[in-house]
Amino acid sequence: MSNRSVIPFGPQHPVLPEPIHLDLVMEDEKVVEAIPSIGFIHRGLEKLVDKKDFNEMVYVAERICGICSLGHGLGYSEAVEHIMDIEVPARARYMRTIWSELSRIHSHLLWLGLLADAFGFESLYMDCWRLREEALDMFEESTGGRVIFSVMKIGGIRRDVTNDQLKDFDNRISKMEEDLKAISRPFLEDAAVQTRLKGVGVLSAEQADALGCTGPFLRASGIVRDIRSTGYCAYGDVNFEPIVSSEGDSYARTYCRIQEIFQAFDIIHQLIAKMPEGPIEAPVKGMPNGEYMMRIEQPRGEALYYVKANGTKFIDRMRVRTPTFANLSGLVEILKGCDLADVPILVLTIDPCISCTER
């Protein structure tokens, strides 16, 4: 007869890039239950609406997370712009979308590198991060930053990009596509990798939908839901279909993220080809008064930004719901019944971002 024991997993663990903590209830080598515990890095960023005006809060929103910095600034800005009925110029919308897809590329490549490191593939890990540097270089050249970009503002963007730069980015994106084809092959074809991913951590479509999962974690279970399809920013001007898989296992989640990188390359090509001329910001007059909830598709999934304003320069409330928070319930589900040795990989397959979750 097996005995139950509780093993603390995290917040510090060699394979974890984020300080997530789980109490694993074990029977021998099998996980019976996983109990998440969050709150290690709470920073009170949402409370800063008392001290920072609605324009300054763009900078605060960007600091919710480094990896998702661009998206947080975008989501907050779009919410305020809807409240104030500001029409963002087309060129600014296109640049916002290009940067959003660059952010998806660098986030997914970072995750791929961490997955390779978890398998012990050090050269593959470095290759993924080498390719990610290309995206960060383009960010640095176009925004001036590599982690916190400070390029988003209410009404548009702070910096324009020349057409020559865009042509250069187009060529570099094409080169990245060729490099990714070689890098992605071990993740999708290597027999050793497949034994660690295929059939491990299966989440059915019904479970994923009922638990409120989002992003590649949701789409890997066969649910076609991608907030980019609503057409915010310039997504309504490009052709793409959400990347979906039906297996719902760790391999499917890896496949979806790799294909989303290729898709991001294609979206950027389309946007550069259609880039309109014109201003990059609209005038901002008066103070926001009202409330709005903006939904965007971050690299890890759907993020919600709720802003409530009262007609003064200090808004009443900013609330953010991040993808990892939504996916934690799905993580708890896929951990039930798994082997202890599979826990680190399964945690990685939801691509957790605890900085976003706890703020």
Side-chain angles (χ1 to χ4, degrees):
M1 184 174 181
S2 60
N3 293 319
R4 289 196 174 188
S5 57
V6 178
I7 297 177
F9 181 82
Q12 303 300 324
H13 189 280
V15 80
L16 286 180
E18 295 278 340
I20 188 172
H21 176 77
L22 301 167
D23 286 322
L24 303 176
V25 181
M26 307 292 301
E27 282 187 0
D28 298 328
E29 290 293 311
K30 293 287 184 182
V31 177
V32 177
E33 184 181 9
I35 305 168
S37 177
I38 59 177
F40 285 96
I41 53 173
H42 179 64
R43 292 166 286 159
L45 295 183
E46 292 175 359
K47 180 64 175 172
L48 286 176
V49 295
D50 293 342
K51 300 181 181 299
K52 305 291 183 182
D53 68 40
F54 72 95
N55 284 306
E56 293 173 323
M57 278 303 294
V58 178
Y59 299 109
V60 176
E62 286 188 332
R63 282 157 177 78
I64 289 174
C65 174
I67 309 281
C68 319
S69 169
L70 193 282
H72 286 306
L74 171 63
Y76 169 78
S77 297
E78 289 261 346
V80 175
E81 287 157 3
H82 277 86
I83 292 173
M84 301 183 74
D85 198 23
I86 296 172
E87 185 175 349
V88 178
R91 189 173 180 87
R93 290 190 291 105
Y94 271 61
M95 284 309 307
R96 284 180 172 187
T97 312
I98 288 174
W99 285 325
S100 293
E101 291 306 304
L102 269 180
S103 182
R104 194 176 317 280
I105 291 167
H106 103 76
S107 178
H108 283 352
L109 285 172
L110 180 147
W111 176 81
L112 270 181
L114 294 173
L115 187 65
D117 184 52
F119 289 137
F121 295 175
E122 294 299 321
S123 295
L124 186 58
Y125 159 58
M126 297 304 291
D127 262 345
C128 292
W129 279 39
R130 173 190 57 79
L131 191 58
R132 173 176 171 259
E133 284 295 311
E134 294 290 332
L136 293 180
D137 287 344
M138 283 185 273
F139 263 128
E140 186 174 15
E141 291 170 26
S142 56
T143 71
R146 291 171 63 85
V147 179
I148 305 296
F149 307 112
S150 300
V151 74
M152 209 65 61
K153 66 177 294 185
I154 307 299
I157 56 177
R158 297 183 182 278
R159 295 179 60 160
D160 200 357
V161 178
T162 67
N163 291 331
D164 287 340
Q165 278 183 302
L166 289 173
K167 289 178 183 177
D168 180 52
F169 288 179
D170 203 33
N171 294 331
R172 288 156 73 175
I173 288 291
S174 298
K175 177 64 168 59
M176 289 178 70
E177 285 183 81
E178 295 302 315
D179 289 346
L180 182 61
K181 288 176 183 177
I183 289 174
S184 62
R185 198 168 297 123
F187 291 103
L188 300 177
E189 300 176 8
D190 187 87
V193 172
Q194 291 188 16
T195 59
R196 296 295 306 275
L197 298 179
K198 282 198 170 183
V200 179
V202 176
L203 190 70
S204 69
E206 294 76 15
Q207 288 174 317
D209 196 27
L211 292 170
C213 299
T214 184
F217 190 35
L218 173 73
R219 294 188 286 273
S221 294
I223 303 293
V224 185
R225 189 177 301 150
D226 189 323
I227 302 304
R228 292 177 295 175
S229 300
T230 62
Y232 71 90
C233 282
Y235 285 112
D237 297 341
V238 295
N239 296 316
F240 73 97
E241 294 292 333
I243 304 296
V244 180
S245 181
S246 58
E247 286 76 14
D249 57 7
S250 297
Y251 183 84
R253 295 189 275 275
T254 303
Y255 168 82
C256 282
R257 288 193 177 91
I258 290 174
Q259 295 307 313
E260 282 191 5
I261 302 175
F262 285 113
Q263 183 185 65
F265 291 148
D266 180 60
I267 290 174
I268 292 174
H269 284 314
Q270 293 184 56
L271 290 167
I272 291 175
K274 297 179 178 180
M275 178 64 70
E277 298 292 340
I280 60 170
E281 60 180 310
V284 178
K285 299 177 181 179
M287 302 295 171
N289 190 8
E291 61 182 341
Y292 193 83
M293 184 178 72
M294 183 66 195
R295 303 162 69 198
I296 75 166
E297 188 73 20
Q298 290 271 36
R300 292 163 177 80
E302 178 184 347
L304 304 179
Y305 301 86
Y306 170 75
V307 174
K308 182 179 181 181
N310 56 17
T312 70
K313 67 177 183 177
F314 297 107
I315 61 178
D316 278 337
R317 188 78 168 91
M318 180 189 79
R319 182 78 177 96
V320 182
R321 196 212 69 173
T322 59
T324 298
F325 182 81
N327 287 333
L328 282 175
S329 55
L331 172 64
V332 170
E333 185 65 31
I334 64 176
L335 287 174
K336 293 177 182 176
C338 78
D339 293 332
L340 179 60
D342 289 327
V343 171
I345 299 296
L346 289 177
V347 172
L348 276 179
T349 60
I350 77 162
D351 193 7
C353 183
I354 304 303
S355 294
C356 287
T357 304
E358 301 182 358
R359 294 179 295 288

